[in-house]
C-alpha cells in the first residue's frame, strides 16, 4: 500500500515514473523580459547623459525623462525599432507627464527614480 502524500506534495510529483519529473532533470530555462511600449521607449544614451537624467529624475520627477525624450530626436536607439522617431519621442513625453502628475502621491517620484536607473543600466550595456 502506498503512503499518502504529505502536505504540498502530489502523488504524481512524488513518483517520477508516473508522469512526474525527477528533481534533478537538468532543464535549462531562459527568461526574457517583455517590455511594454513605455518601458521599451527608454533610449540608449551615452553614460554621462544617463547619469544626468537619473540625477534630474531623483530631484525633479519626470525632468530627466523629459530630457531623455529629446535624445530620441538626436538619434538615440530604443527597443522600439519598428516605431517612428516621433512616436517614440511622444511616448517618452507621456512617461514624463505620468511621472510629474503622479509625483504628488509619491508613485511618480519612485517611478521616476526607477526610470533613471533603467537609463543608466541601458547606457552601461550600450557602452
Amino acid at each position: 500500500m502506498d503512503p499518502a502524500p504529505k502536505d504540498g506534495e502530489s502523488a504524481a510529483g512524488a513518483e517520477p515514473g508516473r508522469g512526474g519529473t525527477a528533481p534533478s532533470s537538468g532543464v535549462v530555462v531562459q527568461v526574457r523580459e517583455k517590455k511594454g511600449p513605455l518601458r521599451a521607449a527608454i533610449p540608449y544614451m551615452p553614460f554621462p547623459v544617463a547619469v544626468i537624467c537619473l540625477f534630474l529624475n531623483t530631484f525633479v520627477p519626470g525632468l530627466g525623462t523629459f530630457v531623455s525624450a529629446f535624445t530620441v530626436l538626436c538619434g538615440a536607439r530604443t527597443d522600439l525599432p519598428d516605431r517612428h522617431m516621433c512616436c517614440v519621442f511622444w511616448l517618452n513625453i507621456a512617461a514624463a507627464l505620468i511621472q510629474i502628475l503622479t509625483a504628488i502621491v509619491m508613485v511618480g517620484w519612485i517611478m521616476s527614480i526607477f526610470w533613471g536607473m533603467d537609463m543608466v543600466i541601458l547606457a552601461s550595456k550600450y557602452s
Side-chain angles (χ1 to χ4, degrees):
M1 185 146 207
D2 289 335
K6 297 177 185 172
D7 264 350
E9 180 182 341
S10 68
E15 298 178 29
R18 292 189 180 178
T21 58
S24 61
S25 61
V27 176
V28 177
V29 178
Q30 181 181 5
V31 178
R32 185 172 296 170
E33 181 182 7
K34 180 170 171 42
K35 297 179 180 181
L38 280 180
R39 194 65 159 237
I42 298 175
Y44 289 85
M45 300 175 281
F47 190 77
V49 177
V51 170
I52 290 170
C53 288
L54 170 61
F55 181 78
L56 291 173
N57 271 349
T58 303
F59 294 104
V60 182
L63 184 60
T65 307
F66 185 75
V67 169
S68 75
F70 289 97
T71 64
V72 173
L73 295 178
C74 294
R77 191 174 58 86
T78 65
D79 287 333
L80 294 172
D82 55 333
R83 297 231 178 149
H84 192 267
M85 182 188 318
C86 289
C87 180
V88 177
F89 170 77
W90 287 110
L91 283 172
N92 278 296
I93 295 295
L97 288 175
I98 291 169
Q99 292 168 7
I100 291 167
L101 294 175
T102 59
I104 299 167
V105 290
M106 296 297 290
V107 173
W109 201 351
I110 294 167
M111 178 185 173
S112 184
I113 292 170
F114 277 109
W115 219 258
M117 290 170 42
D118 280 345
M119 290 177 200
V120 171
I121 290 169
L122 289 175
S124 66
K125 288 180 183 177
Y126 179 71
S127 297

